[in-house]
Amino acid sequence: MTEPLLRVRGLKKHFPIKRGIIPKVVGHVKAVDGIDIDVMPGQAVGLVGESGCGKTTAGRCILKLIQPTAGEIVFDGQPVHAFDRAQMTGLRKRMQIIFQDPFSSLNPRRTVYDTLAEPLQLHGICKTTDELRVEVRRLLGRVGLDPDYLDRYPHEFSGGQRQRIGIARALAPRPDFIVCDEAVSALDVSVQAQILNLLADLRRDLGLSYLFIAHDLAVVKHLCDTVAVMYLGRIAEMGPTKALFEDPKHPYTRALLSAVPSPHPGRRKQRIALKGDVPTPIDPPSGCRFHTRCPYATADCAKETPPLDRVGDHHVAACIRIEEIRKEDAAAAAAAGSAEASH
Ligand code: SF4
């Protein structure tokens, strides 16, 4: 069996909270609290959840842009978690990131040529000015921009075009793995679709692997093969995209999916409203972290931390009541059906 390109085990990132005149650590923000993810060669894995669930922190830890607190990150057999800055420089060209905000991620004082030439020089891909210009033009064409735009500045482009430049910058070192961190969320819906199509084409043509971080489940549906749903620093459910969308097991995934608009206006889903706000990751709830908001919670949910149990083929969910919830829902549907029939 093929080995994963990226293998993450027990990843944690706890940010210390310091207080006082002589700063003392008084607690920790448990942004990521023990997650496991595999990304196979050529695979796109979605990492979704509400804002503050830890998904962006997880992506940055995986690329070692920030230092994880604990856990293993193995990329193509290499223990990235143990690498120092110099060792990471060698690997950096293979692991790239596309940022959320195409407006702030580009330097307004640098032309497109300057922006794209830098990684090409840094990673020794082009040596001469002639080679650089040819490669920058090729990259612009690859992301659907006119190669003659190379001497323009970021303010001369639309949001979608700037994100294409961000994608070209990530492609420049010829990576095999890219973290797309909310790569389309700052864009209009129609532009989002164009960028998602471009990312899908690049993946197919270049054999890229993605970790696609998003707060919107609808965005990952067409691009990703596998989706992991995060809640308060942990994975609540992970599985093949089709299974997760058609038969979500975890109440949190079900609530998120119920908020995704249906493409079929006639088939309206019942919206599952969640109680309250996301609790603080400084002092997360005991047991199942979702119990303070879960419509199916019982007293036991606050006592036990649910493990990620197998619920289908390559499909896992962290909930101790999945079977009971299925029966409760079936009974409720049967009761609703017989009430309708008697009218
Ligand atoms: Fe809800 Fe309990 Fe399942 Fe957590 S373990 S998702 S609180 S039913």
Side-chain angles (χ1 to χ4, degrees):
M1 200 184 142
T2 320
E3 286 294 306
L5 179 65
L6 175 77
R7 186 171 183 274
V8 175
R9 290 292 176 272
L11 182 67
K12 290 187 183 181
K13 180 64 188 175
H14 295 178
F15 294 100
I17 306 163
K18 293 183 181 170
R19 297 246 166 82
I21 299 169
I22 301 166
K24 243 176 74 181
V25 176
V26 293
H28 286 89
V29 177
K30 294 171 184 160
V32 179
D33 206 17
I35 64 166
D36 300 347
I37 294 179
D38 285 345
V39 181
M40 305 303 287
Q43 193 186 28
V45 174
L47 189 59
V48 297
E50 289 163 290
S51 153
C53 71
K55 55 193 188 301
T56 288
T57 304
R60 278 159 206 238
C61 284
I62 288 167
L63 294 180
K64 290 285 288 280
L65 297 175
I66 50 176
Q67 186 62 30
T69 306
E72 276 184 18
I73 303 161
V74 178
F75 182 79
D76 200 13
Q78 304 176 76
V80 172
H81 54 275
F83 277 14
D84 60 21
R85 195 184 279 258
Q87 289 170 302
M88 271 318 289
T89 308
L91 204 58
R92 190 72 68 205
K93 66 185 279 193
R94 297 187 61 194
M95 305 170 85
Q96 287 288 308
I97 184 165
I98 300 166
F99 293 100
Q100 170 178 5
D101 189 352
F103 298 92
S104 64
S105 67
L106 299 175
N107 186 331
R109 284 184 288 275
R110 308 189 77 194
T111 62
V112 172
Y113 173 81
D114 295 336
T115 299
L116 299 185
E118 185 185 36
L120 293 170
Q121 284 176 305
L122 187 71
H123 296 291
I125 290 164
C126 298
K127 304 251 172 354
T128 66
T129 311
D130 283 351
E131 279 175 15
L132 277 170
R133 283 191 91 80
V134 168
E135 183 61 8
V136 168
R137 290 177 67 86
R138 190 191 69 80
L139 283 167
L140 287 175
R142 192 68 195 80
V143 297
L145 289 173
D146 187 335
D148 290 338
Y149 287 172
L150 80 174
D151 291 318
R152 293 192 182 186
Y153 287 88
H155 74 267
E156 297 177 75
F157 294 94
S158 67
Q161 287 175 322
R162 285 186 222 199
Q163 195 55 303
R164 287 176 192 266
I165 298 167
I167 294 170
R169 180 176 54 189
L171 291 179
R174 303 182 187 164
D176 29 27
F177 172 70
I178 300 180
V179 171
C180 305
D181 184 9
E182 298 273 14
V184 297
S185 41
L187 306 171
D188 292 343
V189 174
S190 61
V191 183
Q192 279 190 0
Q194 293 165 14
I195 298 293
L196 288 171
N197 286 339
L198 171 64
L199 290 169
D201 291 349
L202 292 171
R203 176 188 165 200
R204 185 197 58 223
D205 298 347
L206 307 176
L208 294 169
S209 305
Y210 295 139
L211 181 67
F212 196 91
I213 296 168
H215 64 273
D216 182 353
L217 267 164
V219 161
V220 299
K221 188 173 181 183
H222 299 292
L223 185 69
C224 297
D225 316 287
T226 291
V227 176
V229 178
M230 263 185 96
Y231 185 79
L232 265 185
R234 292 201 181 139
I235 289 176
E237 181 165 4
M238 177 157 54
T241 308
K242 192 168 185 295
L244 193 123
F245 274 77
E246 287 179 2
D247 188 16
K249 303 291 187 188
H250 195 284
Y252 180 56
T253 314
R254 294 167 62 158
L256 289 182
L257 278 172
S258 77
V260 175
S262 169
H264 311 286
R267 275 189 257 155
R268 221 178 242 185
K269 290 174 281 186
Q270 199 188 348
R271 178 98 190 240
I272 303 170
L274 295 177
K275 300 179 272 183
D277 295 323
V278 182
T280 168
I282 298 172
D283 185 20
S286 61
C288 173
R289 292 189 171 182
F290 187 52
H291 83 258
T292 53
R293 301 174 77 203
C294 179
Y296 298 96
T298 63
D300 285 342
C301 298
K303 294 181 199 151
E304 298 175 41
T305 299
L308 271 171
D309 282 332
R310 189 171 181 272
V311 291
D313 247 6
H314 304 287
H315 191 171
V316 290
C319 172
I320 55 171
R321 300 200 64 234
I322 286 176
E323 201 41 41
E324 285 144 290
I325 290 169
R326 193 186 61 75
K327 286 181 191 153
E328 282 172 28
D329 282 356
S338 59
E340 211 168 276
S342 66
H343 276 296

